[in-house]
Amino acid sequence: LSQIGAKFIFVAGMFVSGCVTILFGMLDKVPSGPMFIGFCFLVRAMDAIGFAAAITASFSILAKAFPTNIATVLGSLEIFTGLGLVLGPPLGGFLYQSFGYEVPFITLGCIVLALVPVNICILPKYDSSPRKESFWKLILLPKVLILCLSIFSLSACLGFLDPTMSLFILKKFKLPAGYVGLVFLGLALSYSLSSPLLGLVSDKLPYIRKWLLISGDLMTAVCFFMLGPAPVLHIESQLWMFVLVLVLIGFSLGMSAMPLFPEILQCAYENGFEEGLSLLGLVSGLFNAMWSLGAFVGPVLGGFLNEELGFEWAAAIQGGWPLLSGLATGIFYIIEAIRKSSSSSLQNAPDFDNEERTRLMGNET
């Protein structure tokens, strides 16, 4: 990203994603069997590359353009992420029912391609500043490792809900298929509406970020334990309680997610990394890599647990990820505070000794 430039990577990623989305609409023309499966994997892989390029570059551009309000800007943009999650399924379903398989993908791909020239004209061009910032040096920092665990756990929890929650709703509450999407609104709306406020708090009160991280992780863990609820609680699941827990999950995910990017960036600055587009690209890439890893592990592990143990136990076990990351984050910040207090006391000790020595010498004379 620092070699070629963030703007080019972003536009190229959008172009690839738009073209690949249109290709999705043509997969039904491929003969069934191994060839169809192979093309599906190939197209998905190409889409992943385009998405990774666009999202990584977009994070870098935002951090470069708004260096003192990163969490606020990211939180504001999460409104549109939530809007996409809310509108995508019903609009796609309408186009699919009305016009068939190809039209939803072709329509979305054309919209993405139409935005490419718009971004070419509007986005400023940031000068690339090639530097040899070490990715391994960044990811092996203890604090960054802990924060990566938080990113992974949050993404895994969200990914777990994709293949399991709709099946549980249909089976448990006997809702018509058309109403299942409305249940998802509680999570999407609470996350998208709370994210800007939480991002603003994170930027205005940087010292409170660690408390947002810890509280958000632990709250997410409790909510997933209550989502079923877990059989050990002996509580009968009800629709209103299920929707309420989803709303709380959306809020707790925002509490944890908003401070993560600025915290990693601040940690990098404290450990000698130079400010610039190169570092922003590294942090963006790391953030999205951990998020994508969670988005892979969450559905795979969650789907397996759902089949073997049922949704109630699967959700409770999935809540172990944010519980682990919350406890690890809390322990790390406690150790960090103890080290800082001990180092500050050692720095103040010589000054105290000098003052005492001066007083003693003055009394002797």
Side-chain angles (χ1 to χ4, degrees):
L1 187 145
S2 63
Q3 300 288 335
I4 302 176
K7 179 178 180 179
F8 177 82
I9 293 290
F10 177 75
V11 172
M14 286 194 65
F15 179 78
V16 171
S17 291
C19 293
V20 171
T21 303
I22 294 176
L23 285 178
F24 271 117
M26 302 177 182
L27 284 178
D28 61 335
K29 305 294 191 298
V30 179
S32 59
M35 182 178 292
F36 174 77
I37 296 174
F39 269 98
C40 285
F41 274 103
L42 177 62
V43 172
R44 287 290 286 172
M46 293 169 59
D47 189 34
I49 294 172
F51 173 80
I55 199 69
T56 302
S58 68
F59 274 44
S60 302
I61 292 171
L62 289 172
K64 184 73 173 178
F66 305 95
T68 59
N69 299 293
I70 298 175
T72 303
V73 175
L74 292 178
S76 300
L77 289 181
E78 288 305 305
I79 295 176
F80 299 94
T81 301
L83 191 63
L85 292 172
V86 171
L87 296 180
L91 288 178
F94 170 75
L95 292 174
Y96 176 79
Q97 289 182 353
S98 303
F99 304 103
Y101 171 79
E102 298 89 350
V103 172
F105 295 103
I106 294 174
T107 302
L108 183 59
C110 290
I111 292 174
V112 175
L113 289 177
L115 291 173
V116 169
V118 175
N119 282 282
I120 291 175
C121 298
I122 292 178
L123 281 181
K125 183 178 180 180
Y126 295 102
D127 295 330
S128 57
S129 52
R131 293 173 185 163
K132 295 182 179 179
E133 303 285 9
S134 172
F135 176 81
W136 294 111
K137 180 183 175 182
L138 175 66
I139 196 174
L140 291 178
L141 293 174
K143 185 175 181 179
V144 173
L145 281 174
I146 297 294
L147 296 174
C148 284
L149 178 60
S150 292
I151 299 170
F152 169 83
S153 66
L154 297 178
S155 178
C157 286
L158 274 178
F160 162 78
L161 297 176
D162 286 338
T164 59
M165 193 169 76
S166 58
L167 298 176
F168 175 74
I169 295 171
L170 290 171
K171 179 181 177 181
K172 188 72 176 180
F173 305 117
K174 311 298 182 188
L175 288 179
Y179 287 91
V180 173
L182 296 177
V183 178
F184 280 82
L185 284 178
L187 173 63
L189 288 178
S190 64
Y191 176 73
S192 59
L193 294 178
S194 63
S195 292
L197 177 61
L198 293 168
L200 181 63
V201 172
S202 177
D203 282 332
K204 296 298 183 182
L205 305 171
Y207 59 87
I208 210 173
R209 286 175 187 161
K210 53 188 175 184
W211 301 113
L212 289 176
L213 280 169
I214 298 169
S215 302
D217 282 341
L218 296 180
M219 184 176 173
T220 302
V222 172
C223 288
F224 268 81
F225 200 72
M226 291 292 299
L227 192 61
V232 294
L233 298 177
H234 302 290
I235 300 175
E236 182 64 26
S237 180
Q238 299 182 44
L239 183 59
W240 68 266
M241 185 173 66
F242 189 84
V243 174
L244 176 61
V245 173
L246 284 180
V247 171
L248 294 176
I249 288 176
F251 180 76
S252 63
L253 288 175
M255 287 179 67
S256 298
M258 290 306 102
L260 283 170
F261 193 95
E263 275 290 285
I264 296 176
L265 203 56
Q266 183 62 35
C267 179
Y269 291 149
E270 293 172 354
N271 285 273
F273 283 79
E274 294 184 23
E275 183 178 352
L277 194 60
S278 177
L279 175 60
L280 295 176
L282 278 183
V283 175
S284 301
L286 177 62
F287 186 97
N288 290 295
M290 291 298 104
W291 189 271
S292 298
L293 181 63
F296 167 74
V297 173
V300 174
L301 178 61
F304 172 77
L305 293 174
N306 186 57
E307 286 186 357
E308 297 295 324
L309 304 175
F311 180 84
E312 293 85 349
W313 276 117
I317 295 173
Q318 196 73 27
W321 290 116
L323 177 63
L324 176 62
S325 63
L327 293 176
T329 305
I331 292 171
F332 176 84
Y333 278 118
I334 290 173
I335 295 174
E336 186 182 55
I338 293 173
R339 286 179 177 176
K340 286 182 178 180
S341 62
S342 60
S343 62
S344 62
S345 62
L346 288 174
Q347 290 176 357
N348 294 332
D351 297 335
F352 178 77
D353 293 341
N354 288 334
E355 290 178 4
E356 291 294 321
R357 192 177 294 109
T358 303
R359 291 176 183 173
L360 289 172
M361 292 177 65
N363 292 334
E364 290 175 0
T365 56

